Amino acid sequence: MALPFLQAYNKYSDDLEMVCAILCAGLYPNVVQCKRRGKRTALYTKEVGKVDIHPASVNAGVHLFPLPYMVYSEKVKTTSIYIRDSTNISDYALLMFGGSLIPSKSGNGIEMLGGYLHFSASESILDLIRVLPTLITCLLCSLFINCLIGLLHF
């Protein structure tokens, strides 16, 4: 049973997409591409290429991930290069809460992580994707300022 004063902080704890988006915002740029290879998923990072999930991770027994990316807290090198504390995320979470979006060199999409990640869509969708992170930031700033004003009047 949650303590009453914590209920407001747990309002969205059952919304897995929201939790994953928040983890994406906090763990970016630690991003892994998930590429299906038959009945398994191969994981790749920009810096080192192929990585594996740490054997002690809760994701260690998972062989297929439904979403195309993961974020993680750290890489560890022992017998292999492993990622720890990983969460499978959608491309939408990455686009909205990840880092800077730049036009692709080919002109028909957008890129992240210096061109490592490439996203293609129609021009109208790309325009929307470009503006939404800024609008989300403005909304969050406005909410934060309103909370500060409320505290000042307390």
Side-chain angles (χ1 to χ4, degrees):
M1 183 170 146
L3 298 172
F5 67 91
L6 293 179
Q7 287 178 339
Y9 298 111
N10 290 323
K11 184 176 182 179
Y12 298 103
S13 63
D14 291 332
D15 185 344
L16 190 56
E17 289 179 20
M18 175 76 77
V19 172
C20 289
I22 291 167
L23 286 169
C24 177
L27 294 173
Y28 185 87
N30 295 345
V31 177
V32 172
Q33 283 186 305
C34 303
K35 296 184 179 182
R36 286 194 176 206
R37 300 287 186 248
K39 294 184 179 182
R40 300 184 83 67
T41 301
L43 307 173
Y44 298 91
T45 67
K46 176 183 176 182
E47 301 82 18
V48 298
K50 189 168 181 341
V51 296
D52 295 306
I53 295 174
H54 194 276
S57 170
V58 296
N59 286 327
V62 180
H63 300 294
L64 284 176
F65 293 95
L67 301 172
Y69 301 99
M70 292 184 86
V71 288
Y72 63 93
S73 67
E74 66 179 337
K75 283 187 291 220
V76 178
K77 185 175 182 179
T78 56
T79 56
S80 182
I81 299 176
Y82 295 105
I83 59 170
R84 293 166 77 167
D85 304 324
S86 57
T87 299
N88 199 208
I89 60 166
S90 71
D91 41 5
Y92 298 113
L94 190 56
L95 287 166
M96 294 300 108
F97 300 103
S100 300
L101 303 171
I102 57 171
S104 68
K105 294 174 181 83
S106 64
N108 63 348
I110 50 177
E111 297 177 346
M112 296 178 90
L113 292 173
Y116 178 64
L117 302 177
H118 178 86
F119 303 91
S120 298
S122 68
E123 197 58 41
S124 61
I125 297 296
L126 290 174
D127 288 341
L128 186 61
I129 289 169
R130 286 183 193 106
V131 74
L132 276 175
T134 303
L135 293 175
I136 290 169
T137 300
C138 290
L139 175 64
L140 291 173
C141 288
S142 173
L143 292 170
F144 181 72
I145 290 169
N146 287 338
C147 286
L148 287 177
I149 291 170
L151 287 174
L152 290 174
H153 290 106
F154 184 63

